[in-house]
Amino acid sequence: MMKKVALLGSTGSIGTQALEVIEKHGLKVTALAANRQADKLAAQAKKFHPECVCIYDETQAGKLKTLLSGEKIEILTGMDGLCQIASDKNADIVLNSVVGMVGLLPTLKAIEAGNDIALANKETLVAGGELVMKAAAEKGVKIYPVDSEHSAVFQSLQGNEMNKIRKMILTASGGPFFGKKKADLQHVTAKDALKHPNWNMGNKITIDSSTLMNKGLEFIEAKWLFDLTPEQIEIVVHRQSVLHSAVEFEDYAVIGQMGVPDMKIPIQYALLYPRRVACPTKHLSLTDYGTLTFEKPDYETFDCLTAAIDAIREGGLRPAVVNGANEEAVGHFLRDEIKFLQIGELVREAMQAVRGGQIHSYEDILEADTQARAFVREKIAVLG
Ligand code: MG
């Protein structure tokens, strides 16, 4: 039976690649949601005929209505719209590829409605992992990881559900500044940081890859998805991005997943699980690569990575603070308002300045996020 998919973040990098997979396998799209690209969303809606669409940025709603006039498609807006789509009873699976903290509430709403989730939004588990995993377990909702590393672990665990993970090997490309020291990174611009060697991704995640914050966020995600302690996760820099991550079991057998670096493979696995059928991507030729390398990450230069790991060791609201501070700082960096190395500095300072504590509710997480962002904005204003 063909699954029906509700897609949040349809105009982004993951969203557009997901639609390629959906088209290839003739899956039904029940709903599409995008941030602010009305033209692209309208074109997708005309092609995939969802029952409803949502544009998060309400200033774009009028444009979208005009573009879709004459179509029998309901138009929603804002966070209410995202949440309505996430809890859509007509969908079998919600693919959440929204960027940033905005993705957390729709994930919680999807779980509440009993919808399975294909999760590409990192912040959902970074800021709200404790809450999300508990709610998903209570509702019996399945969370299929879309991130390539977590998908690799999920794939490696198939048939091994009874066996304990001894260690997870979380691979990292190292980003565009691998081998550089802080002194080399003083004058890096957003343009330099947006050139990723292996993966084709959106702006926020590409900057996060250049600071290695992306790996820090994935470290936290992995902890929640696979119920690991921070000590069980080892980050290994693997420049070729061919081994997407691996699991070591009690007998020291290591099982990993390899493939070309193309997000369509993990997206398709999450959407079609447990089926494996032809994917619109390339065959992996190991002899074309010849050599695969593995190295330790440079924790001193890339202090965002260290900050994220420290945050999950402390737990509670601390990861939400790190995530919020990072999201805010990256926004400013993309507008050339701060220097590259300031991203890590601001994250570190926010960690010290903003209160942590236990998570009791979504509101606690939102408050920590808001405070972290406000701290970063004020700090930047003072620095002028
Ligand atoms: Mg990844």
Side-chain angles (χ1 to χ4, degrees):
M1 201 194 74
M2 277 299 149
K3 276 185 195 166
K4 288 177 282 183
V5 185
L7 176 47
L8 307 181
S10 66
T11 56
S13 173
I14 296 288
T16 49
Q17 295 182 78
L19 286 172
E20 267 185 70
V21 169
I22 284 169
E23 187 180 9
K24 159 114 182 156
H25 300 294
L27 305 189
K28 165 94 184 110
V29 175
T30 63
L32 293 170
N35 181 15
R36 55 187 321 280
Q37 295 187 64
D39 291 307
K40 200 166 172 184
L41 177 59
Q44 291 176 340
K46 284 179 181 168
K47 185 167 177 187
F48 290 94
H49 310 290
E51 287 140 34
C52 66
V53 294
C54 169
I55 189 106
Y56 180 71
D57 181 343
E58 300 187 8
T59 66
Q60 300 299 307
K63 186 175 173 189
L64 185 64
K65 275 184 192 136
T66 311
L67 289 166
L68 291 178
S69 63
E71 302 282 331
K72 270 206 219 131
I73 300 173
E74 187 185 359
I75 297 177
L76 308 168
T77 61
M79 183 55 93
D80 286 348
L82 285 185
C83 290
Q84 195 176 318
I85 288 180
S87 39
D88 185 356
K89 293 283 181 203
N90 295 322
D92 298 313
I93 191 161
V94 176
L95 171 52
N96 184 353
S97 60
V98 162
V99 178
M101 248 298 277
V102 170
L104 175 56
L105 193 57
T107 297
L108 289 169
K109 293 293 175 189
I111 294 171
E112 231 175 81
N115 282 336
D116 286 343
I117 300 166
L119 189 62
N121 172 263
K122 292 196 161 78
E123 294 79 0
T124 283
L125 289 178
V126 170
E130 204 178 325
L131 217 58
V132 168
M133 294 313 285
K134 198 166 153 248
E138 278 169 13
K139 280 277 181 183
V141 161
K142 293 193 184 68
I143 299 181
Y144 299 105
V146 170
D147 213 342
S148 61
E149 295 79 359
H150 307 85
S151 175
V153 169
F154 179 61
Q155 294 180 54
S156 303
L157 289 174
Q158 299 305 309
N160 276 306
E161 291 82 357
M162 306 296 290
N163 294 312
K164 244 182 81 202
I165 299 178
R166 188 176 170 275
K167 208 172 78 180
M168 169 181 173
I169 298 162
L170 175 59
T171 52
S173 74
F177 306 132
F178 175 73
K180 302 269 191 258
K181 296 288 171 196
K182 278 193 176 164
D184 309 315
L185 298 173
Q186 303 275 3
H187 304 293
V188 162
T189 63
K191 224 175 124 197
D192 303 325
L194 286 172
K195 289 181 207 138
H196 195 277
N198 301 342
W199 293 98
N200 173 14
M201 307 173 289
N203 283 356
K204 159 76 169 45
I205 181 170
T206 307
I207 299 301
D208 283 347
S209 297
S210 74
T211 61
L212 297 201
M213 177 56 96
N214 185 53
K215 211 46 59 180
L217 300 180
E218 290 180 354
F219 186 103
I220 300 174
E221 260 191 297
K223 182 240 163 347
W224 291 117
L225 274 172
F226 306 112
D227 192 21
L228 302 171
T229 64
E231 292 70 30
Q232 281 176 291
I233 307 169
E234 181 188 2
I235 299 172
V236 174
V237 176
H238 165 48
R239 295 293 285 158
Q240 299 79 19
S241 300
V242 167
L243 173 66
H244 297 302
S245 280
V247 173
E248 182 182 68
F249 292 97
E250 289 293 318
D251 58 357
Y252 298 107
V254 175
I255 299 183
Q257 183 250 325
M258 292 189 181
V260 291
D262 184 332
M263 287 306 296
K264 288 192 283 292
I265 298 174
I267 291 169
Q268 177 171 305
Y269 194 70
L271 291 180
L272 298 188
Y273 176 84
R275 286 197 302 143
R276 289 192 185 273
V277 290
C279 179
T281 185
K282 284 194 300 235
H283 155 82
L284 169 67
S285 165
L286 282 173
T287 50
D288 280 356
Y289 282 90
T291 308
L292 299 182
T293 58
F294 301 95
E295 295 162 76
K296 287 196 170 113
D298 176 353
Y299 290 101
E300 263 165 51
T301 302
F302 298 97
D303 42 11
C304 281
L305 177 60
T306 328
I309 295 172
D310 288 350
I312 191 60
R313 286 214 168 101
E314 185 184 326
L317 289 164
R318 197 57 75 196
V321 170
V322 163
N323 181 65
N326 179 62
E327 221 174 299
E328 187 68 30
V330 169
H332 289 271
F333 176 67
L334 281 168
R335 296 190 294 274
D336 289 321
E337 293 162 5
I338 59 170
K339 287 190 188 311
F340 180 76
L341 291 175
Q342 281 182 283
I343 301 172
E345 288 162 19
L346 287 162
V347 167
R348 273 274 167 218
E349 286 173 42
M351 263 179 94
Q352 301 295 324
V354 179
R355 193 181 58 88
Q358 297 299 304
I359 297 176
H360 302 290
S361 65
Y362 169 71
E363 284 69 29
D364 291 343
I365 299 168
L366 202 60
E367 178 61 21
D369 178 74
T370 306
Q371 283 188 26
R373 284 165 193 272
F375 173 84
V376 169
R377 274 196 304 273
E378 280 161 32
K379 196 82 197 183
I380 293 170
V382 170
L383 294 168

